[in-house]
Amino acid sequence: MIYLNGDFLPIEEARVPVLDRGFIFGDGVYEVIPVYSHKPFRLAEHLLRLQHSLDGIRLQNPHSDEKWGSLVEQIIASNDGDDQYLYLHVTRGVARRDHAFPKGVIPTVFIMSNPLLAPPRELLATGVAAITADDNRWLRCDIKAISLLPNVLLRQMAIDAGAMETILLRDGFMTEGAASNIFLAKDGVLLAPPKNHLMLPGITYDVVLELAAAEKIPCEVREVSEYELRTAQELLLTSSTREIMPVTRLDGKPVGEGKPGAMFARLYRLYQSYKQTTMRGSAKILEVHNR
């Protein structure tokens, strides 16, 4: 069951006009929200990021946070599975094809649910491969826009190379993955690129930094050079659907010892503990202690 412009209906029955600006121009934004035990994970933060994206494309939010929360609850209840991930999609609406913003147009709102599958244990045990490529995307990567063709092409480069992800480089510095945020670990210090217009501010990225601060794991948020990327002892990939995964090969070469390291093991354990704490109704980071 999906939601489309005020109606709940089977996805097979959903229809969007061909003149929708999302179809014609990619003029819209989206969010992906993980759901654990029928509870949306960090919903407030996801809705805040949605608002940032809408502001970035100058589109008024069609709903209040309360209305979004109600729609999310109904979609979760209307679909099978304790664990799901929700896709929220807002476009500028249907109008005559013209680059200029149309006036008096109602935005298109679409929400669907898919099963949320945990990363395979074998990949967590062995790690995944990644490649690098120049970051040739636009300069507003902080907007979660539906026009994802550059990301699609960059991610396909990784698939063609037998890898999980493409890590992006711009002017000698790492930005993010084609569909993820990237962390480095070296000498017990966690390194992360700063939030700016060149990367999407990941919700899981935030959780990892909060956990690191709460656990007093040394952490530096700053520009990360290509040299630091290639000489890291550990690389970590984070996203809402893949949580935290170790990258153990980069451009065909081993990362560190070529196996998941101590930083990944610690942060993965802390993340799972935090997730369980959140699902029990208390999301206070400081409730997650060393174990």
Side-chain angles (χ1 to χ4, degrees):
M1 193 69 68
I2 63 100
Y3 173 87
L4 179 62
N5 294 337
D7 296 320
F8 292 89
L9 68 163
I11 194 167
E12 295 80 9
E13 298 178 12
R15 301 290 185 271
V16 178
V18 294
L19 287 180
D20 190 284
R21 287 177 64 94
F23 179 68
I24 295 292
F25 292 119
D27 185 1
V29 298
Y30 75 103
E31 267 299 320
V32 175
I33 304 174
V35 174
Y36 301 106
S37 301
H38 281 87
K39 294 182 180 179
F41 184 70
R42 306 262 295 199
L43 178 60
E45 289 81 357
H46 281 282
L47 293 180
L48 186 63
R49 187 172 66 177
L50 175 64
Q51 185 64 60
H52 173 82
S53 296
L54 289 167
D55 291 342
I57 68 167
R58 296 168 59 186
L59 178 58
Q60 185 173 351
N61 196 327
H63 297 311
S64 66
D65 284 358
E66 291 74 19
K67 177 63 173 180
W68 280 119
S70 175
L71 292 174
V72 163
E73 287 182 2
Q74 292 177 77
I75 285 291
I76 293 171
S78 298
N79 288 276
D80 295 333
D82 291 343
D83 296 346
Q84 308 172 29
Y85 74 88
L86 306 186
Y87 176 84
L88 280 63
H89 178 115
V90 183
T91 81
R92 206 174 301 275
V94 180
R96 180 178 62 88
R97 189 185 185 280
D98 185 355
H99 285 68
F101 293 169
K103 295 181 179 180
V105 173
I106 299 173
T108 296
V109 178
F110 167 58
I111 310 174
M112 68 175 175
S113 170
N114 287 291
L116 179 59
L117 304 177
R121 289 187 176 273
E122 57 269 26
L123 292 185
L124 297 176
T126 63
V128 300
I131 62 171
T132 58
D134 290 336
D135 191 345
N136 57 7
R137 304 169 301 165
W138 71 328
L139 297 178
R140 287 304 309 273
C141 298
D142 57 305
I143 298 174
K144 204 168 176 66
I146 63 173
S147 46
L148 285 172
L149 184 57
N151 298 72
V152 168
L153 294 173
L154 289 162
R155 178 84 195 289
Q156 189 60 41
M157 288 175 60
I159 302 304
D160 292 344
M164 172 70 74
E165 181 61 297
T166 301
I167 298 177
L168 307 179
L169 298 165
R170 192 188 294 261
D171 299 326
F173 294 94
M174 182 187 77
T175 53
E176 59 183 343
S180 64
N181 292 119
I182 305 295
F183 290 82
L184 282 66
K186 192 166 186 178
D187 299 327
V189 178
L190 187 67
L191 301 180
K195 289 183 181 180
N196 55 31
H197 63 288
L198 299 178
M199 64 170 274
L200 183 73
I203 305 302
T204 309
Y205 168 100
D206 287 342
V207 174
V208 168
L209 290 178
E210 290 169 15
L211 290 169
E215 295 297 309
K216 296 182 170 50
I217 296 172
C219 185
E220 297 179 12
V221 178
R222 58 170 175 78
E223 288 190 324
V224 176
S225 70
E226 180 178 354
Y227 175 77
E228 289 175 307
L229 170 66
R230 298 195 182 281
T231 59
Q233 293 167 338
E234 294 185 53
L235 294 178
L236 309 178
L237 174 160
T238 67
S239 75
S240 288
T241 55
R242 290 181 282 180
E243 300 182 345
I244 305 174
M245 298 186 69
V247 176
T248 52
R249 293 190 68 80
L250 183 66
D251 289 333
K253 298 178 180 180
V255 175
E257 297 181 355
K259 60 183 181 181
M263 185 69 78
F264 163 72
R266 187 176 184 187
L267 287 171
Y268 180 81
R269 174 174 48 80
L270 290 169
Y271 187 88
Q272 298 305 316
S273 179
Y274 170 67
K275 200 170 72 174
Q276 293 302 317
T277 300
T278 302
M279 293 307 99
R280 290 196 297 268
S282 175
K284 294 180 180 179
I285 280 286
L286 295 180
E287 291 184 3
V288 180
H289 302 291
N290 285 318
R291 289 173 175 81

